Amino acid sequence: MDPFPFFDWLDRSLLADIAKAYGGVFAVVQMFHLVALALLGGMVLVGDLRLLGVVLKDVPSKVVTDNTQRWFDIALIMLIVSGVFMSAAVALKLYHNEMFWAKMAALATGAVFVYGVRRPLLRFDHDTLNPWAVRMTAVASLVVWFTVAACGRWIGFS
Amino acid sequence: MSKPRLEKLSIVLSLAVIACAAWFWAGQIGNVLEMLSLLEG
């Protein structure tokens, strides 16, 4: 299924008109996008490094992951909403950008992994979980969100 | 889903995610080096 019609529609939408015509609005939305990226990255780092036993060792890992997950959800919603608005300004350019598709693939993988695997696993008492399952989940989470961030940054250079 | 099954699934899927990311970044290594040299230049 070719998503071109969606990008073509997005390029001619009201959202695109606003994003293209008002540089100030675009800049403010971009600021929210970057703040959300920092928040999401921070929550991933704190949560997963705690699971790996690197940081906050004196705080139970369940307390850390439960709290970071809440802010992760908020950051992800902010990222998607602001990201759609920003994409509208350059929709057709993004459609032809390889790194954009790499980022979208990583983002979809990350979301499925977090809500389908990481969160259900971490609902159990962490002390009773297989330590390798916890470690592998933390490493995979770090890797996939690093890939999302790096590909996102790379879009600007490609 | 039971805990043992979820643990196994998380290990398998984590390995799959890590392998996919490693494959992706291995393919990009030339681009990374080129970008770094551009940044230095």
Side-chain angles (χ1 to χ4, degrees):
Chain A
M1 193 183 78
D2 187 358
F4 181 79
F6 171 74
F7 282 81
D8 190 38
W9 167 81
L10 191 60
D11 186 59
R12 290 182 281 107
S13 66
L14 176 66
L15 215 55
D17 291 342
I18 295 169
K20 288 172 190 172
Y22 302 100
V25 175
F26 186 89
V28 170
V29 174
Q30 190 175 39
M31 181 269 291
F32 276 107
H33 194 75
L34 293 174
V35 167
L37 187 64
L39 184 62
L40 186 135
M43 295 304 105
V44 167
L45 276 176
V46 171
D48 290 331
L49 290 180
R50 174 62 190 92
L51 291 175
L52 291 170
V54 178
V55 299
L56 299 170
K57 289 180 196 172
D58 52 341
V59 183
S61 59
K62 185 135 178 57
V63 172
V64 175
T65 53
D66 285 353
N67 280 286
T68 52
Q69 185 65 51
R70 202 173 307 143
W71 288 102
F72 175 93
D73 295 343
I74 293 168
L76 189 60
I77 292 167
M78 275 173 72
L79 271 175
I80 292 171
V81 171
S82 57
V84 169
F85 178 81
M86 288 165 62
S87 301
V90 285
L92 293 177
K93 199 176 163 188
L94 287 177
Y95 174 78
H96 296 287
N97 189 306
E98 199 178 287
M99 272 300 150
F100 171 74
W101 290 110
K103 181 187 176 180
M104 289 303 106
L107 180 65
T109 305
V112 169
F113 186 77
V114 164
Y115 295 107
V117 178
R118 189 180 183 273
R119 183 181 273 192
L121 181 75
L122 297 179
R123 279 206 186 109
F124 292 100
D125 181 0
H126 293 191
D127 293 334
T128 65
L129 288 171
N130 178 342
W132 280 106
V134 174
R135 283 183 205 133
M136 294 305 291
T137 303
V139 171
S141 171
L142 284 169
V143 165
V144 78
W145 292 110
F146 167 78
T147 302
V148 173
C151 289
R153 195 64 207 91
W154 204 321
I155 291 171
F157 292 103
S158 57
Chain B
M1 195 182 288
S2 67
K3 193 167 74 170
R5 204 168 169 187
L6 196 56
E7 285 172 334
K8 278 181 198 158
L9 182 72
S10 68
I11 291 174
V12 171
L13 288 181
S14 297
L15 284 172
V17 165
I18 294 165
C20 284
W23 170 78
F24 172 74
W25 286 112
Q28 298 298 326
I29 201 126
N31 291 333
V32 171
L33 293 174
E34 189 185 347
M35 197 165 79
L36 289 175
S37 66
L38 282 175
L39 290 176
E40 281 172 12

